Amino acid sequence: MQIKKKNEPEEKRSYSQEQLEKEIEKAVSEKQSEWEKELEARLENERNEAARLATMSADERSREEFDKKQKAFDEERGRYMSERMEFEAAKALSNAGLPIAFAKILKGTDTKTTAENISVFKEQFLKAVEEEVSDRLKGAVPKTGGSPLADPFLAGFGG
């Protein structure tokens, strides 16, 4: 394995127009086959679903459709509530003077748990900031000279 230094220029590969077209054609054909497989799978699922629904009675079919719509609604509502809690957390963090970048982490399932999460976070965050500031403000202990009269001002009085 060869390690490159920062100052060494990287090797640049150059392609002819034909090579470039072949690479593009290869990438496009791979993606196209991928999409075709996905489409075929979706179509197969739809066919199976249609066949299953065709064997059901009208009441069963309507109940099935209702359940699907209810499930989709519940998922959408869950996403909405999650976004709302994240917004509320960001607002509360901003009001508390804390970084709003933590909103996604601190959001809860409801406003009460979000407020509790922010309260605990604020306490710990401020404590950590205070400790770091204290550590950084601590200076090195001043070095003392070899003689108490090493100070030129004091040396003029008796030494």
Side-chain angles (χ1 to χ4, degrees):
M1 182 168 138
Q2 184 180 7
I3 298 175
K4 291 184 179 182
K5 295 181 182 176
K6 286 185 178 182
N7 297 337
E8 290 182 18
E10 289 188 27
E11 289 182 36
K12 293 185 179 180
R13 292 182 62 183
S14 59
Y15 291 97
S16 68
Q17 187 66 28
E18 293 170 359
Q19 290 172 328
L20 184 60
E21 288 174 3
K22 284 181 184 178
E23 289 293 322
I24 291 172
E25 184 64 34
K26 180 181 173 186
V28 168
S29 66
E30 288 174 358
K31 279 294 181 185
Q32 186 176 7
S33 67
E34 220 176 274
W35 294 332
E36 288 172 354
K37 287 177 185 175
E38 287 177 16
L39 178 63
E40 189 61 39
R42 283 193 356 224
L43 287 174
E44 185 64 30
N45 287 339
E46 290 295 325
R47 283 186 204 118
N48 292 340
E49 184 67 17
R52 190 175 67 80
L53 288 175
T55 61
M56 293 180 168
S57 68
D59 288 340
E60 291 173 330
R61 211 172 323 159
S62 64
R63 181 69 181 156
E64 183 79 21
E65 290 174 8
F66 176 78
D67 289 344
K68 281 184 183 178
K69 287 179 182 177
Q70 184 67 36
K71 183 179 176 186
F73 174 77
D74 290 343
E75 288 173 1
E76 182 66 28
R77 185 173 187 276
R79 284 192 295 272
Y80 169 75
M81 291 302 291
S82 177
E83 289 174 3
R84 182 171 170 241
M85 285 297 105
E86 187 174 337
F87 174 75
E88 292 295 327
K91 194 166 69 172
L93 286 168
S94 177
N95 290 341
L98 297 169
I100 62 171
F102 294 105
K104 192 170 209 155
I105 300 167
L106 297 175
K107 71 179 177 184
T109 54
D110 59 5
T111 54
K112 183 178 178 184
T113 57
T114 300
E116 290 172 1
N117 292 345
I118 291 171
S119 171
V120 170
F121 173 76
K122 181 178 182 179
E123 180 182 314
Q124 295 300 317
F125 182 76
L126 293 177
K127 182 179 174 186
V129 167
E130 187 172 326
E131 287 175 2
E132 184 64 24
V133 168
S134 295
D135 287 346
R136 289 188 183 195
L137 289 178
K138 287 181 186 174
V141 178
K143 297 180 181 176
T144 58
S147 148
L149 299 177
D151 186 12
F153 180 74
L154 294 176
F157 285 118

